[in-house]
């Protein structure tokens, strides 16, 4: 996505542009396709999410969410947009329409929040992290807290696996940490004295998690044991976007040079 040019969709197999969709969005932090590949949802801080129909000549077909929040996330299946602000969390279903749908129940809690993530499916879980290092996971249908933990230092990025079981957190004190909400286990994937993660995203299925770092590399870890599974060394100063293909054979990166690169990766054949 480009702030002024709108959204461009490419064929990852040959780099051929498939669609140029108009519509100014602003600061875009996350993008997701629906499973059929026909709808793209983008979200960022301070304004509603934008819904594009890849086959629609006018591009934008709807908006989702509200203004004035600190952070936003889109589920991997492009079904939900989550937004968080001071002491509140809201999750919105994505429906291409002129008017945004009502959110599922608003969750309010006493801890500060600065980052948010949301899982996929019909009954998603949403995670938030704040300046104090508190990490909380909520059932967004009921507003009930289902998991809570704490990392050292402020949370600067956060991602949730498709099933909501795992949460990846970049924080000031510990580095990049993987939290398992079922077992309450954790792995430190990337130490704090290394380059921090600018973006984190789970691969489809949640078996792997990828991060774009401020040293110009993208790294992929196995969530089962915290093992480093793949590294892509770019010539960017920072990698601000990462995504793993559904078949786990390709890694996409976006850096500070306004380029998207697609890498062949070998994740040891473990799926």
């Amino acid at each position: 996505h480009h702030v002024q040019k709108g959204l461009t969709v490419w064929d990852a197999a040959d780099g051929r542009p498939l669609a140029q969709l108009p519509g100014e969005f602003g600061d875009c932090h996350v993008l997701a396709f629906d499973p059929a590949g026909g709808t793209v949802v983008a979200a960022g801080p301070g304004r509603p999410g934008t819904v594009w129909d890849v086959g629609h000549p006018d591009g934008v077909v709807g908006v989702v969410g509200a203004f004035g929040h600190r952070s936003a996330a889109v589920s991997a299946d492009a079904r939900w947009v989550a937004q968080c602000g001071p002491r509140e969390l809201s999750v919105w279903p994505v429906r291409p329409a002129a008017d945004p749908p009502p959110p599922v129940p608003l969750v309010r809690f006493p801890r500060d929040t600065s980052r948010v993530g949301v899982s996929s499916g019909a009954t998603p879980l949403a995670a938030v992290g704040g300046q104090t290092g508190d990490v909380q996971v909520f059932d967004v249908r009921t507003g009930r807290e289902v998991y809570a933990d704490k990392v050292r230092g402020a949370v600067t990025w956060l991602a949730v696996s498709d099933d909501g079981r795992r949460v990846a957190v970049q924080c000031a004190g510990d580095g990049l940490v993987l939290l398992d909400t079922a077992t309450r286990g954790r792995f430190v994937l990337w130490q704090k004295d290394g380059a921090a993660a600018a973006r984190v995203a789970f691969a489809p299925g949640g078996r792997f998690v990828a991060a774009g770092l401020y040293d110009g590399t993208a790294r992929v870890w196995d969530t089962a044991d915290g093992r480093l599974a793949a590294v892509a060394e770019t010539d960017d100063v920072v990698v601000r976007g990462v995504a793993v293909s559904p078949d786990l054979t390709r890694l996409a990166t976006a850096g500070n040079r306004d380029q998207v690169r697609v890498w062949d990766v070998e994740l040891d054949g473990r799926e």
Side-chain angles (χ1 to χ4, degrees):
H1 176 266
H2 190 280
V3 173
Q4 296 176 329
K5 297 179 181 179
L7 181 72
T8 304
V9 180
W10 291 274
D11 187 326
D14 56 17
R16 179 173 51 92
L18 298 177
Q20 180 71 51
L21 306 178
E24 293 188 8
F25 178 78
D27 189 7
C28 175
H29 280 184
V30 285
L31 285 167
F33 280 93
D34 72 334
T39 300
V40 184
V41 181
R47 60 185 298 166
T50 302
V51 183
W52 279 276
D53 182 336
V54 175
H56 197 287
D58 295 331
V60 176
V61 294
V63 294
V64 181
F67 288 92
H69 54 279
R70 287 183 177 177
S71 179
V74 181
S75 63
D77 58 2
R79 191 168 178 172
W80 305 94
V81 171
Q83 299 175 326
C84 73
R87 301 179 183 272
E88 69 178 35
L89 163 69
S90 57
V91 181
W92 306 73
V94 174
R95 302 171 186 164
D99 297 319
V104 295
L106 183 70
V107 178
R108 297 186 184 276
F109 43 87
R111 302 172 191 173
D112 185 28
T113 58
S114 56
R115 293 296 178 188
V116 64
V118 62
S119 68
S120 300
T123 56
L125 300 177
V128 291
Q131 296 295 317
T132 60
D134 288 299
V135 177
Q136 297 169 274
V137 180
F138 295 90
D139 180 330
V140 300
R141 290 293 189 184
T142 64
R144 182 175 62 90
E145 181 185 272
V146 296
Y147 174 84
D149 205 339
K150 193 177 183 70
V151 295
R152 293 192 302 142
V155 175
T156 58
W157 196 259
L158 182 150
V160 182
S161 62
D162 289 351
D163 60 3
R165 173 176 173 172
R166 296 180 174 94
V167 181
V169 180
Q170 172 65 42
C171 59
D174 292 324
L176 182 58
V177 181
L178 180 67
L179 305 175
D180 190 316
T181 65
T183 66
R184 302 196 67 84
R186 64 167 61 192
F187 292 115
V188 176
L189 300 176
W190 191 244
Q191 298 289 347
K192 66 176 182 178
D193 54 352
R199 292 291 187 275
V200 183
F202 281 90
R207 179 62 188 272
F208 296 92
V209 62
L213 304 178
Y214 279 98
D215 63 1
T217 67
R219 298 173 183 267
V220 183
W221 292 269
D222 189 325
T223 61
D225 55 15
R227 177 185 58 87
L228 182 65
V231 179
E233 297 183 356
T234 78
D235 58 359
D236 292 302
V237 175
V238 55
V239 177
R240 298 189 180 277
V242 287
V244 179
S245 64
D247 62 2
L248 307 179
T249 63
R250 288 178 176 171
L251 171 69
T253 64
N256 59 291
R257 300 177 185 273
D258 290 336
Q259 292 181 332
V260 176
R261 295 178 172 90
V262 179
W263 310 77
D264 291 326
V265 293
E266 297 182 3
L267 301 178
D268 289 352
R270 300 203 293 175
E271 301 183 12

